[in-house]
Amino acid sequence: IVFQTYSLEWLYQIKEDFIYISVISLLFNIISIILMFLFVKTPQDFMKYALIYIIGAYGSVLINWIIIRKHVDLSVVDKLNYYQHMKPILMIFGVSLASSVYMSIDTVMLGSIVGTVAVGLYTVAVQLNNVIKQLLASISNVLFTRLSFYVGQGRFEEYKKLLYNSMNLLIMILLPCAAGLFVLSSDAITLLSGEAYLSATTAARILTINLIFSVLDGILYYQVLLPFGEERLASKSTWLGAIVNVCLNFAVISKYSYTGASITTLIAELCVFASILFCAKKYIDIFLILKYLAKYLLLCIPVIIWCIISKFLIGNMILRIVISVVGSVGIYSSILFVIKDQLFISFFNKTVNK
């Protein structure tokens, strides 16, 4: 908690020093993976695991503080007016708190109502989707500074151009990832956690659908509502999801366990999405977002078919996953190239020219 509070990553986001953020984060994650293999051997090594996790997640904090003097004069002692910032800070804190509630309440209620076995199975289903979610969320979050700058300067045409391009890109990546993960959930669970957790497959697939709306919520929150100062609306929408999730959990978890928890999470996320979309409609063309969703969802059908065929025809699990992923990337890219998707063609041309 202390390291997260003083991470200073926000400063480097403001400076748009994303290469530094990416490199330092990747470096410490690689270090943590190496340390995991070297020192975590048995269940009794949980303290070593906790320490290594902190190094991987927050080791960059120390580096951030070492080089902060390049950006900030720490000797400034003039009286600062903190109070003008308290209201928006508290609103953003309210959103973060509500998000934490409905992201963690499932495991808390599962543990108290059903038991630890259900918590373990549900956690596997959640972690399976978190990899994609965190990757796409990081792409969305880094654009917040630039979009806020455009809004603050009244450069709304530039804001909309960047916004719609980023939404197009994120949805173009998100949907095939979710589609492939939906089909290959059982293989992914077996690979990452073992066959003992295969009963979590249904929950993982439900949460894969939830992944789509969760990422879209993050896009609308960081790229639309926050730049326009609508923290209050974002907070209300997120608390709506938290309340819906808690209420439904009481009604569902005792009977349907971790599968029920995944269903309630999906319903809560849909409520948040609908609410945030309604709040954002006065700033953006929401029908354009729905158009992106429909377009790339249709393009995902061949990816789903390929993954299903691979699942039935290839016996070796590792080979099946590799062929499914590589084939899906090739098929999806080919379709985008054939239909002359503007964003994909632009990215392709820039890559080739380099």
Side-chain angles (χ1 to χ4, degrees), residues 81-102:
N81 182 10
Y82 299 102
Y83 297 103
Q84 63 178 326
H85 304 294
M86 290 306 297
K87 186 175 179 180
I89 287 174
L90 289 174
M91 286 295 173
I92 295 173
F93 170 74
V95 174
S96 299
L97 180 61
S99 297
S100 298
V101 167
Y102 86 81

Side-chain angles (χ1 to χ4, degrees), residues 105-121:
I105 196 65
D106 292 336
T107 53
V108 174
M109 296 182 72
L110 274 171
S112 60
I113 297 173
V114 182
T116 55
V117 174
V119 172
L121 292 167

